[in-house]
Amino acid sequence: MESSSPVALITGASRGIGRGIALELAGAGYDIVVNYTTRPEAAAETAHGVEERGRRVLIARADVASREDRESMIAETREAFGRIDVLVNNAALSSLVRVDILDAPEESFDRVLAVNLKGPFFLTQAVGRWMVEIRKRDRARRLHIVNISSISEYTASVLRGDYCVAKAGLGMLTQLFADSLAPHSICVNEVRPGIIATDMTAGVKEKYDRLIAEGLTPLRRWGQPEDVARAVRALVGGDFDFTTGAAIDVDGGFHIRRL
Ligand SMILES: NC(=O)c1ccc[n+]([C@@H]2O[C@H](COP(=O)([O-])OP(=O)(O)OC[C@H]3O[C@@H](n4cnc5c(N)ncnc54)[C@H](OP(=O)(O)O)[C@@H]3O)[C@@H](O)[C@H]2O)c1
């Protein structure tokens, strides 16, 4: 049976930015699918936070790079809620090793591209098809897809070139699906975080502490998962229903060219 509340599926919602988005959207009245791949205890913690906000939750283990896993996650979501209103492609991993691209191993390229680009591409394709079905039955429903990209989409980091290439691809993915799904009034946008305090950046904390203090970002502080989460909530919550194919920078002004 179809849930009476809107449903948001967030990939990589066990930790970091994904958890922040899950809790923010739960607070805004969405039931949540918490996707994770390796850390069930972290996913359970996010799920607990969703329930504390009075919403229903499904925990879905799925490697977004795997077709079988993506298909079973969508089947579980259909079974649990019978609907989907928001997909957030958030799951990603950094380069397996930080080395100059002249020495970068192919294994890292393959895995990073599979998780950070192929996964979102085919998950968006599958959820997009489902949303088109939903649209045929319901002309009024608000349907949104949000991709969490990065300043690495346009900033060269030669020590993690595969990550940058994947994020650049995600920018085009946003444009492509925005165009393809626009006739069905399904919006596809991108939120582009800067330097955010999560496990992904924990290993380079001291370096970024220094760079931020020196003014790397005009707003001289670390971003928090909640900064990104609030932008996602704003995009899907009704104030941006005439916006598609857009990128919102949540980066403390990092993208400003300065002299
Ligand atoms: N942190 C930053 O400064 C920053 C800046 C710009 C953009 N971003 C982007 O923001 C997003 C979230 O980053 P984060 O910093 O929150 O990362 P994080 O703390 O490392 O968390 C990554 C999340 O993705 C999940 N995940 C990893 N591989 C997966 C896979 N194959 N299938 C499904 N889930 C998978 C992890 O699940 P498990 O817990 O099960 O491992 C975890 O929930 C990413 O797209 C990242 O590129 C981050």
Side-chain angles (χ1 to χ4, degrees), residues 89 120 124 145-149 170 173-174 188-192:
N89 284 306
T124 302
I145 296 172
V146 181
N147 298 317
I148 307 301
S149 59
L170 198 58
L173 186 160
T174 302
V188 185
N189 290 295
E190 184 185 326
V191 170
R192 215 150 45 188

Side-chain angles (χ1 to χ4, degrees), residues 107-223:
E107 294 71 27
S108 177
F109 186 95
D110 286 346
R111 182 66 184 152
V112 168
L113 270 286
V115 173
N116 298 10
L117 188 58
K118 187 180 96 167
F121 188 101
F122 288 103
L123 195 56
T124 302
Q125 181 190 72
V127 170
R129 285 184 188 146
W130 184 8
M131 286 180 168
V132 169
E133 248 178 66
I134 293 169
R135 173 62 73 226
K136 286 182 186 148
R137 301 194 302 271
D138 188 338
R139 291 175 63 82
R141 198 164 291 186
R142 182 171 296 126
L143 300 170
H144 281 272
I145 296 172
V146 181
N147 298 317
I148 307 301
S149 59
S150 172
I151 54 176
S152 297
E153 182 177 335
Y154 60 85
T155 305
S157 299
V158 293
L159 300 184
R160 41 192 190 97
D162 42 19
Y163 181 82
C164 297
V165 167
K167 290 298 182 182
L170 198 58
M172 178 49 75
L173 186 160
T174 302
Q175 309 273 318
L176 288 166
F177 280 102
D179 190 23
S180 165
L181 293 169
H184 308 282
S185 299
I186 299 164
C187 298
V188 185
N189 290 295
E190 184 185 326
V191 170
R192 215 150 45 188
I195 301 161
I196 312 292
T198 68
D199 292 347
M200 192 179 270
T201 46
V204 281
K205 181 174 180 310
E206 277 167 26
K207 173 185 163 192
Y208 284 131
D209 278 346
R210 180 173 47 77
L211 291 173
I212 291 169
E214 288 168 3
L216 177 69
T217 55
L219 297 176
R220 294 187 184 198
R221 69 166 174 86
W222 280 79

Side-chain angles (χ1 to χ4, degrees), residues 54-67:
R55 305 314 317 173
R56 291 170 62 210
V57 67
L58 168 72
I59 298 178
R61 198 216 69 79
D63 177 347
V64 295
S66 149
R67 180 203 303 229

